[in-house]
Amino acid sequence: MKLRKIVGFIAVVLVIVLLCGALSVFMEYTKTKSKDGETFKVEIPKGASEQTIGAILKEKGVIKHTLSFRLKMKNSPHRGKLSYGVYEMKKEMCLDEIIDIMLHQGAQAKGVKLVIPEGYSAEMIAKRCEELGFFKAEEFLECLEKEK
């Protein structure tokens, strides 16, 4: 009889602990406003999975639970589209804000696309690159000459 009461008590405590954990994850998942506070840098390496990103964010204090981040990403149209890079973040941020930052401020987001149409000569490519501010056309043409 006593053993039965102890097992019942442990079961009740375990259920309460699980419910509190689930409630905490749910609260973070549904949070719509980030806390104010000092910003700090968080670096996400190239090729990091969403699970790794969640672990980094938790380690830095940006989120409380990796599970809430993984669930948010699983249900997001932006799954697999987060950029690597160094970000300015705060403690306990809203998940939607984190995702928005990682979509628009990462290294991939800041990339420049250069399309070279078929038939462009080296001089035309050099001129186009100079117009985009990559380098001077003369430098490009000099490098091509050295490679010959």
Side-chain angles (χ1 to χ4, degrees):
M1 187 72 164
K2 223 177 193 186
L3 180 61
R4 201 175 212 174
K5 282 185 177 185
I6 292 172
V7 170
F9 177 75
I10 291 173
V12 168
V13 169
L14 186 60
V15 167
I16 290 171
V17 168
L18 288 173
L19 285 174
C20 287
L23 180 63
S24 182
V25 168
F26 177 76
M27 296 286 284
E28 184 171 53
Y29 182 87
T30 58
K31 183 169 39 171
T32 57
K33 189 168 178 7
S34 296
K35 286 188 173 182
D36 290 330
E38 288 186 38
T39 60
F40 52 89
K41 294 190 183 307
V42 176
E43 183 173 357
I44 304 298
K46 186 174 184 175
S49 67
E50 288 167 0
Q51 185 171 357
T52 302
I53 293 170
I56 292 168
L57 295 174
K58 181 179 182 199
E59 179 185 312
K60 298 289 185 179
V62 178
I63 61 173
K64 288 184 179 180
H65 306 284
T66 57
L67 179 60
S68 58
F69 179 76
R70 289 178 32 219
L71 287 172
K72 187 64 109 174
M73 288 309 302
K74 184 176 183 176
N75 297 315
S76 170
H78 308 297
R79 187 172 190 186
K81 297 177 184 174
L82 299 182
S83 299
Y84 61 91
V86 178
Y87 301 95
E88 290 286 327
M89 296 194 178
K90 299 180 236 176
K91 293 226 180 261
E92 297 184 30
M93 288 180 70
C94 159
L95 295 174
D96 291 327
E97 187 177 350
I98 294 168
I99 293 167
D100 187 59
I101 288 170
M102 294 185 73
L103 283 171
H104 300 104
Q105 295 179 16
Q108 289 172 297
K110 293 181 182 174
V112 177
K113 194 176 207 177
L114 173 65
V115 178
I116 302 171
E118 188 175 341
Y120 258 41
S121 66
E123 290 79 16
M124 294 167 83
I125 295 169
K127 182 181 175 191
R128 181 72 179 128
C129 288
E130 186 171 21
E131 289 170 357
L132 292 171
F134 292 139
F135 41 76
K136 295 197 179 289
E138 301 155 4
E139 293 172 353
F140 178 76
L141 295 172
E142 286 173 14
C143 286
L144 288 179
E145 287 300 317
K146 287 180 187 175
E147 291 297 317
K148 282 185 179 179

